Amino acid sequence: MVVRMNARSPNPDAPLVDPFGRAIRYVRVSVTDRCDYRCVYCMSEDMNFLPKRDVLSLEELDRLCSTFVRLGARKLRITGGEPLVRRNVMSLFHALKRHLASGALDEVTLTTNGSQLARYAQELADCGVRRVNVSLDTLDPDKFRAVTRWGDHAAVMKGIDAAVAAGLNIKINAVALKGFNDAEARALVDWAHGRGFDLTFIEVMPLGAMEEDRADQFMPLTELRRGLEQSLSLTPSTYATGGPARYFDVRETGGRLGFITPLTHNFCESCNRVRVTCTGTLYMCLGQEDAADLREPLRRSESDEPLIAAIRTAILRKPKGHDFVIARAAKPAVERHMSATGG
Ligand code: SAM
Ligand code: SF4
């Protein structure tokens, strides 16, 4: 019933609701598949990147984002690849500011590896960005270089300092990797909470082919949490973002700790989000192959109506959930890398 009403709604601006009654309020938009790092769990060392003509222009990305806002999205997250390596990316943030000013949008946020933050933090704040997620898996510069293949830890630290100085709230995301940063988990908690940042651990997901076997990387967060609870008291927090993280308050640090556990506990029932790649491909679920091409309707007409029709049709195919499995020598759940879909 919900399906039909949504599909044939006479109101072009009617909000997006999927077949399971979930309203789509959150859109994550990848603005590039390129990155200045090659994290071992995210990309292979010799990635092939998309030709420029396939990638939406910044004006097209603005039109796409604005159409989702028109259809009821309240939150946009700009991601990649590394969003801040896209040339002139700040023009997109400047353009999106109008939706924050009008009240149509609650938030524009960013997920970044932090390498370029020192340069852009103040301008992001000027564009109305209030929060950024910075990905940081280790505090050790040598290990940081190893996990990112060529990242510069000091540059990220400078970027974080600049973000603090610009008044941005920071959440640190760390992918839990067996034998790599599991022993460092407590140090990461102390560091992040000591600086007033939220910290979220993420289970590695089977996205895209890798040189390494995923089973060797996978660290169940149930185990990581048990380890932390040897020395920390975690109580479930009332804080919820509507997203996949489950939060805990940490008594000893006074900070908040999140766990994103797509493998050991999936979070699909409350999923209110979709993802769009930099080529305008809409993925209704991070862990499924089904997708819709939005670039063709976007480029076909100056009117937004074909684009809106394509989005509505796609949302009606949003699946109930994903079914990730990590097993030795298993194939990835989906062939595309996280950097392509947008993390
Ligand atoms: N380059 C930016 C960054 O690193 O924050 C944004 C894009 S990145 C793909 C977004 C997030 O996805 C990062 O926090 C990264 O650690 C995470 N990620 C990448 N590949 C992943 C995987 N296979 N499993 C879990 N998280 C992954
Ligand atoms: Fe780049 Fe982010 Fe992927 Fe690392 S996780 S390779 S920084 S896109």
Side-chain angles (χ1 to χ4, degrees), residues 286-313:
L286 176 64
Q288 304 278 3
E289 297 287 6
D290 191 23
D293 175 24
L294 302 183
R295 186 178 60 193
E296 189 280 324
L298 185 82
R299 289 186 174 169
R300 186 196 334 148
S301 165
E302 278 182 16
S303 154
D304 290 335
E305 297 320 312
L307 175 62
I308 290 175
I311 294 172
R312 288 200 184 286
T313 307

Side-chain angles (χ1 to χ4, degrees), residues 35 41-42 79-83 111-113 133 135 137 173 175 202-207 214 338-339 342-343:
C35 187
Y41 47 78
C42 178
T79 180
E82 174 47 42
T111 300
T112 176
N113 64 22
N133 286 5
S135 304
D137 304 326
N173 283 338
V175 174
I202 307 175
E203 279 174 352
V204 74
M205 290 177 261
L207 306 175
R214 293 282 182 194
M338 187 76 152
S339 55

Side-chain angles (χ1 to χ4, degrees), residues 130-145:
R130 295 283 163 262
R131 297 193 302 145
V132 293
N133 286 5
V134 181
S135 304
L136 182 73
D137 304 326
T138 174
L139 297 170
D140 177 320
D142 294 331
K143 282 169 71 178
F144 184 77
R145 181 159 294 269

Side-chain angles (χ1 to χ4, degrees), residues 69-343:
V69 173
R70 181 175 163 191
L71 297 177
R74 302 290 315 173
K75 177 170 168 182
L76 293 177
R77 177 173 294 280
I78 306 300
T79 180
E82 174 47 42
L84 297 182
V85 301
R86 171 129 192 203
R87 188 197 298 236
N88 204 20
V89 70
M90 291 312 299
S91 67
L92 179 62
F93 288 95
H94 281 284
L96 293 174
K97 191 179 174 184
R98 70 189 187 282
H99 299 304
L100 294 168
S102 73
L105 201 54
D106 295 329
E107 263 204 311
V108 176
T109 58
L110 168 76
T111 300
T112 176
N113 64 22
S115 66
Q116 313 296 317
L117 252 188
R119 189 164 154 212
Y120 292 121
Q122 187 57 55
E123 196 173 348
L124 286 165
D126 295 343
C127 291
V129 173
R130 295 283 163 262
R131 297 193 302 145
V132 293
N133 286 5
V134 181
S135 304
L136 182 73
D137 304 326
T138 174
L139 297 170
D140 177 320
D142 294 331
K143 282 169 71 178
F144 184 77
R145 181 159 294 269
V147 75
T148 58
R149 290 204 181 91
W150 53 69
D152 177 1
H153 190 265
V156 177
M157 290 298 147
K158 268 196 207 140
I160 289 174
D161 291 342
V164 171
L168 297 172
N169 286 319
I170 297 179
K171 179 159 81 73
I172 303 293
N173 283 338
V175 174
L177 298 165
K178 190 159 70 186
F180 176 76
N181 60 2
D182 39 352
E184 220 190 315
R186 174 67 205 258
L188 278 163
V189 172
D190 289 340
W191 173 79
H193 290 178
R195 295 209 55 178
F197 309 152
D198 286 353
L199 169 66
T200 296
F201 286 108
I202 307 175
E203 279 174 352
V204 74
M205 290 177 261
L207 306 175
M210 275 311 103
E211 284 90 348
E212 295 180 36
D213 193 317
R214 293 282 182 194
D216 293 329
Q217 299 180 330
F218 180 54
M219 171 77 197
L221 289 187
T222 38
E223 222 175 281
L224 188 101
R225 193 173 129 194
R226 247 196 317 274
L228 286 172
E229 283 178 324
Q230 303 286 320
S231 59
L232 294 174
S233 328
L234 310 187
T235 39
S237 167
T238 48
Y239 179 75
T241 58
R246 267 143 229 271
Y247 286 95
F248 293 82
D249 294 317
V250 182
R251 194 174 65 211
E252 291 74 4
T253 61
R256 202 155 44 207
L257 182 60
F259 296 96
I260 299 185
T261 54
L263 280 299
T264 51
H265 179 111
N266 90 33
F267 43 73
C268 304
E269 70 282 353
S270 61
C271 181
N272 65 351
R273 63 191 57 194
V274 292
R275 293 174 155 84
V276 190
T277 70
C278 60
T279 56
T281 303
L282 173 67
Y283 284 99
M284 289 72 85
C285 172
L286 176 64
Q288 304 278 3
E289 297 287 6
D290 191 23
D293 175 24
L294 302 183
R295 186 178 60 193
E296 189 280 324
L298 185 82
R299 289 186 174 169
R300 186 196 334 148
S301 165
E302 278 182 16
S303 154
D304 290 335
E305 297 320 312
L307 175 62
I308 290 175
I311 294 172
R312 288 200 184 286
T313 307
I315 295 301
L316 295 182
R317 301 203 308 267
K318 183 167 164 67
K320 197 165 180 199
H322 62 69
D323 30 42
F324 289 150
V325 181
I326 290 200
R328 198 152 287 280
K331 283 179 49 179
V334 293
E335 293 297 330
R336 63 188 191 277
H337 291 85
M338 187 76 152
S339 55
T341 323

